[in-house]
Amino acid sequence: MRFRVAVLPGDGIGPEVIAQATRVLAAAGRRFGHEFQLREGLIGGIAYDATGHPLPQATLDLCRSSDAVLLGAVGGPKWDKLPVHLRPEAGALLPLRKALDVYANLRPAVVFPALADASTLKREVVEGLDILVVRELTGGLYFGEKRREEIPGGQRAVDTMVYTTEEIRRVARRAFELARTRKKKLTSVDKANVLESSRLWREVVTELAKDYPDVELNHMLVDNCAMQLVRNPKQFDVILTENLFGDILSDQAAQLVGSLGMLPSASLGDGVGLYEPVHGSAPDIAGRQLANPIAAILSVALMLRYSFGLEEAALAVERAVAAVLEEGYRTADIMEPGRKQVGTTEMGRLIAEKVEKAA
Ligand code: NAD
């Protein structure tokens, strides 16, 4: 089969990790007989320098005419002083997500057996961990009305958390469907004891559960969930939550895994999917072969699975990552005594080789 992928490397370590991710994608294509047509676009600071905007129209057009988008990372000190709407993150990432209407952000947190000691938590707490946080991405507090008012003695700042039934239903449906392909356990997280939007959230999710009798649903308050994630994270399978809570909980779940360099993400709507490592552009290590490309490579696995339905190829990539780690290869961020340290390119090469050659 043939697929068109928009590739947006971005800034800092973005191009370094994306080069390895596309190398692994090409290897998967050769092994399984698929053709991935890669078309590059500009995004972030590099796009601002070239065109005056961090998300040029040409990039948006490229993304909309592709089957999936693979994004590196954006930003860096050079562009921090620009007006907010021209800064790489605010001016490119949020508008791109909105333009593609990717309302469900998937963040798997999987502890590879070889890395069970890399987490700050005890081995027995995280060993074998495999959870998926599904975060609503285009609504809630981040997109509700904001304003500032002058009041006697200072100012008043207002942010608004808004959700409609349909916004909740579509992301919840996605989470139920995903739970069905896993351990069939869904935890919906809210703050229904305090927030009206959370009460609506809980009602809609409860109603929808009738369509998924094979999935076990439970509700949890967000403060309890934060505690349970460090106390006993293996109790969870799929966690579904709104934008702000998901932002915080997915970072917390990520930390269970050990390094930012290991964390992929997928953002899905009803059209083109967006795949990117969770980490940023890491200007402190850019250009030094220190970046771990595994987060970007695992994002390719998610693309194969969720946008292209190529489960076998997705598993081959994930197994190749596990095998290379098992053989003791490590980038600097996950290095442990007695292991073999390799650079960004070499890690990508080792994984691509395994993807292509594995029986
Ligand atoms: P960061 O994720 O870039 O880096 C945080 C720390 O983790 C750094 O010490 C970095 O060296 C390390 N790190 C990150 N990715 C790594 C990898 N693959 N391998 C090894 N180590 C890795 O976050 P930051 O330093 O807060 O932000 C740097 C820039 O990135 C800023 O301009 C920020 O706005 C931007 N940013 C972009 C995104 C995105 O594009 N999605 C996300 C977060 C931050």
Side-chain angles (χ1 to χ4, degrees):
M1 289 214 278
R2 244 180 115 181
F3 302 96
R4 284 162 307 170
V5 180
V7 179
L8 316 179
D11 306 314
I13 62 168
E16 300 168 38
V17 297
I18 289 302
Q20 301 317 311
T22 52
R23 169 191 264 202
V24 170
L25 184 61
R30 286 192 294 275
R31 163 123 176 253
F32 294 98
H34 302 298
E35 193 191 323
F36 300 106
Q37 189 193 357
L38 308 183
R39 302 183 298 168
E40 262 199 36
L42 291 171
I43 194 166
I46 190 173
Y48 173 80
D49 288 349
T51 70
H53 199 281
L55 183 62
Q57 187 60 41
T59 299
L60 267 179
D61 294 343
L62 174 74
C63 293
R64 287 198 177 109
S65 65
S66 299
D67 299 310
V69 179
L70 179 63
L71 171 67
V74 299
K78 183 177 171 195
W79 304 284
D80 279 351
K81 302 248 150 37
L82 289 171
V84 175
H85 71 285
L86 292 176
R87 274 185 221 158
E89 274 194 275
L93 287 186
L94 292 185
L96 180 61
R97 290 171 186 159
K98 198 80 187 165
L100 298 178
D101 198 18
V102 282
Y103 53 79
N105 181 234
L106 280 53
R107 291 249 215 125
V110 177
V111 173
F112 285 88
L115 294 185
D117 289 319
S119 170
T120 48
L121 297 189
K122 290 196 194 98
R123 171 180 266 272
E124 59 265 30
V125 176
V126 296
E127 198 171 25
L129 182 80
D130 179 358
I131 61 182
L132 177 65
V133 179
V134 180
R135 163 189 170 194
E136 200 291 325
L137 200 59
T138 51
L141 202 59
Y142 293 3
F143 292 93
E145 188 201 333
K146 309 173 193 308
R147 64 172 189 278
R148 287 238 201 154
E149 295 158 4
E150 297 298 327
I151 57 168
Q155 295 185 345
R156 174 164 45 205
V158 181
D159 292 289
T160 325
M161 191 185 269
V162 188
Y163 272 110
T164 64
T165 304
E166 188 43 37
E167 281 173 323
I168 301 167
R169 194 182 285 136
R170 63 183 188 172
V171 70
R173 194 171 283 291
R174 188 65 76 140
F176 274 109
E177 298 284 347
L178 288 162
R180 245 184 193 168
T181 67
R182 297 169 49 97
K183 294 185 206 121
K184 299 186 171 45
K185 224 183 129 189
L186 180 65
T187 305
S188 175
V189 175
D190 59 39
K191 190 72 184 166
N193 53 344
V194 181
L195 299 176
E196 201 51 44
S197 57
S198 279
R199 284 192 273 272
L200 178 63
W201 183 279
R202 198 176 275 217
E203 280 166 31
V204 173
V205 173
T206 304
E207 181 63 27
L208 196 62
K210 292 179 188 154
D211 293 349
Y212 299 89
D214 51 326
V215 177
E216 179 193 334
L217 168 70
N218 70 313
H219 300 279
M220 194 177 274
L221 295 175
V222 62
D223 38 351
N224 186 23
C225 182
M227 186 174 69
Q228 297 298 334
L229 264 177
V230 284
R231 195 185 70 84
N232 177 18
K234 283 191 258 180
Q235 71 183 280
F236 297 108
D237 179 23
V238 178
I239 294 176
L240 163 69
T241 191
E242 63 86 46
N243 204 343
L244 168 70
F245 300 158
D247 193 4
I248 299 166
L249 292 178
S250 58
D251 267 24
Q252 195 185 339
Q255 196 47 45
L256 304 171
V257 172
S259 169
L260 256 180
M262 296 293 300
L263 295 160
S265 79
S267 301
L268 309 178
D270 299 320
V272 182
L274 173 66
Y275 300 84
E276 53 184 315
V278 167
H279 61 73
S281 59
D284 53 331
I285 57 167
R288 294 164 52 201
Q289 285 290 318
L290 289 173
N292 185 347
I294 292 179
I297 291 169
L298 290 174
S299 301
V300 159
L302 298 181
M303 174 187 291
L304 292 166
R305 173 171 296 128
Y306 295 122
S307 276
F308 306 153
L310 302 176
E311 181 62 22
E312 203 187 353
L315 281 174
V317 172
E318 288 163 352
R319 287 188 186 130
V321 169
V324 168
L325 292 171
E326 214 57 62
E327 285 171 8
Y329 294 103
R330 301 281 189 274
T331 43
D333 57 314
I334 49 173
M335 185 57 190
E336 295 164 294
R339 308 294 179 193
K340 295 167 264 194
Q341 188 168 331
V342 293
T344 311
T345 311
E346 181 60 6
M347 182 57 97
R349 192 191 67 74
L350 287 163
I351 295 168
E353 191 179 69
K354 279 257 182 312
V355 167
E356 203 166 346
K357 301 240 173 82

